[in-house]
């Protein structure tokens, strides 16, 4: 079969729209993988007519598209009315005096490299330097969770951990931590196209407060540097890095927007996978050195970011499908990470799996900046959790697991666990 025949039109039983494989759909919310498999087999390069967006589900197509420097990132370059263009639409009317800057997540070169390079130059050493502090924070969060009975692992552990860790890295003062948590949690609504007006209000206020807080923090650290990321950035700027204060504040906010929910979901899905594959849980409990490869396997099996977007800039073909300039593309990280051409028995959760890398962190120039941090937190979390609760299991109650309804993400909104010990 030629790739043209394979790709168009979708066969009757394969999904015809991106919505059908997203968490908007009640079936796909619980498990998107069977439908993604149908697409990968029957229509690996699907065009969604309603959303005017291409959808890629094969590993090779996804990897190539993400690494291709001639394919752009900024969603405003995508055709009007398409899914991808909607990511660039401002959520709210803004005050005209307010500058709206794009973070590196959406920028193309030369601005992308200009800003990302100095950020990365201080971010990676900062994570390395703070590794012992981060490990201690993970241990403290696990120690504070209930010793006996049932609890929601998302609320008690997976949600607070990434926020307090990034706060420490950035250098948020302890007496502002409560506000910072509130503003950061409100930011999650920005990922929900169906949010209520009240949630939008909370989100906007949170974002404005965060921005103002970061501007103040930068001023304070310029005057009196401390041992934190904000001071590192101020120093880089003073030493000639081509970054202004607004750009720094915008990209500090991105660290929260891109890193908090995704890490929460990596932890939630990871614990769920371990609890529902008890042989793997026992393996990890008996050999904590497997934590590193266990995290990679969770990222492959249930990538927290379901997709990432790009924009085609010229006439071209992907896997035989003709595309034109300004068409948006969604690369399905879920689809790619379970491609049987690349991963043996792709639906099996195997924490000792070896082989090609997954694409859960995207790829090319936009490869996730926070990957080392997410990996570090989750690795230590798995170890600390199984040390404290060697007999942890999924609570035996209706609705113990609830999956998020956010269309571009996958994670547990609620995960009731039982410690295995009784009072
Ligand atoms: C499991 C956790 C995480 C996952 C699955 C994840 C996934 C991703 C993905 C898919 C992208 C887009 C890549 C692309 O389009 O090719 C991205 C970008 C990004 N992520 Fe993460 N992320 C995670 C955690 C974090 C953390 C903890 C931080 C920072 C504290 C972070 C910061 C960023 C930034 C700054 C970008 C933009 C990079 C760029 O466009 O140059 N992420 N992430």
């Amino acid at each position: 079969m030629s790739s043209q025949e394979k790709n168009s039109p979708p066969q009757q039983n394969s999904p015809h729209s991106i919505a059908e494989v997203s968490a908007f759909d009640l079936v796909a919310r619980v498990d998107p993988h069977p439908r993604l498999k149908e697409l990968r087999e029957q229509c690996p390069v699907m065009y969604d007519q309603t959303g005017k967006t291409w959808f890629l589900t094969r590993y090779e197509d996804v990897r190539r598209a993400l690494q291709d420097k001639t394919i752009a990132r900024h969603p405003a370059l995508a055709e009007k009315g398409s899914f991808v263009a909607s990511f660039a639409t401002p959520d709210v009317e803004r005050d005209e005096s307010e500058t709206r800057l794009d973070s590196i997540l959406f920028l193309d070169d030369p601005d992308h490299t200009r800003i990302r390079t100095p950020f990365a130059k201080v971010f990676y050493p900062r994570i390395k330097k703070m590794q012992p502090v981060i490990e201690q924070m993970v241990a403290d969060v696990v120690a504070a969770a209930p010793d006996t009975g049932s609890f929601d692992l998302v609320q008690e552990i997976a949600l607070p951990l990434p926020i307090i860790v990034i706060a420490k890295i950035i250098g948020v003062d302890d007496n502002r931590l409560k506000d910072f948590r509130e503003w950061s949690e409100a930011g999650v609504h920005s990922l929900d196209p169906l949010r209520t007006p009240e949630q939008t209000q909370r989100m906007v206020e949170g974002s404005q407060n965060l921005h103002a807080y970061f501007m103040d923090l930068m001023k304070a650290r310029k005057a009196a540097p401390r041992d934190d990321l904000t001071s590192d950035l101020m120093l880089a700027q003073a030493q000639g890095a081509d970054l202004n204060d607004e750009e720094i504040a915008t990209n500090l906010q991105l660290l929260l927007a891109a890193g908090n929910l995704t890490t929460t979901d990596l932890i939630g899905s990871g614990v769920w996978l371990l609890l529902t594959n008890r042989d793997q849980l026992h393996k990890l409990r008996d050999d904590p050195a497997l934590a590193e490869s266990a995290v990679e396997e969770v990222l492959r099996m249930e990538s927290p970011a379901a997709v990432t977007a790009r924009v085609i800039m010229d006439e071209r073909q992907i896997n035989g499908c003709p595309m034109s300039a300004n068409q948006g593309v969604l690369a399905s990280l879920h689809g790619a990470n379970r491609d049987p051409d690349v991963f043996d028995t792709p639906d099996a959760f195997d924490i000792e799996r070896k082989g090609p890398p997954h694409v859960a962190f995207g790829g090319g120039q936009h490869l996730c900046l926070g990957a080392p941090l997410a990996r570090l937190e989750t690795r230590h979390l798995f170890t600390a959790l199984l040390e404290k609760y060697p007999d942890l299991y999924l609570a035996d109650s209706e609705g113990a697991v609830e999956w998020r309804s956010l269309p571009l993400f996958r994670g547990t909104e609620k995960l009731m666990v039982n410690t295995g010990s009784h009072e």
Side-chain angles (χ1 to χ4, degrees), residues 112-178:
H112 178 262
T113 300
R114 174 177 65 77
I115 299 175
R116 178 173 166 133
T117 304
F119 243 85
K121 227 172 162 175
V122 295
F123 188 70
Y124 293 134
R126 172 67 31 204
I127 304 301
K128 210 162 168 208
K129 185 169 184 196
M130 290 185 68
Q131 188 165 336
V133 178
I134 297 167
E135 286 175 25
Q136 189 56 50
M137 294 179 89
V138 173
D140 292 346
V141 166
V142 173
D147 293 330
T148 55
S150 297
F151 67 94
D152 181 357
L153 185 122
V154 175
Q155 288 303 323
E156 300 286 341
I157 294 177
L159 195 65
L161 182 65
I163 297 182
I164 56 171
V165 167
I166 196 69
K168 190 69 162 181
I169 292 169
I170 289 174
V172 173
D173 299 313
D174 286 347
N175 63 356
R176 300 306 302 273
L177 195 57
K178 197 167 159 285

Side-chain angles (χ1 to χ4, degrees), residues 21-22 36 55 303-308 331-335 406-410:
V21 291
S22 84
L36 287 165
F55 192 71
S303 324
V307 294
T308 188
S332 169
L333 307 177
H334 284 163
L406 299 174
L408 310 178
F409 296 86
R410 174 150 174 84

Side-chain angles (χ1 to χ4, degrees), residues 33 40 300-302 333-340 343 346-347:
H33 302 292
R40 198 172 43 236
R300 187 191 68 82
M301 285 286 283
E302 297 295 358
L333 307 177
H334 284 163
N337 282 339
R338 293 203 189 197
D339 187 337
F343 302 102
D347 296 326

Side-chain angles (χ1 to χ4, degrees), residues 284 288-297 351 379:
L284 180 57
L290 290 174
E292 197 171 331
S293 58
V295 171
E296 297 312 304
E297 181 64 344
I351 64 167
R379 194 169 75 229

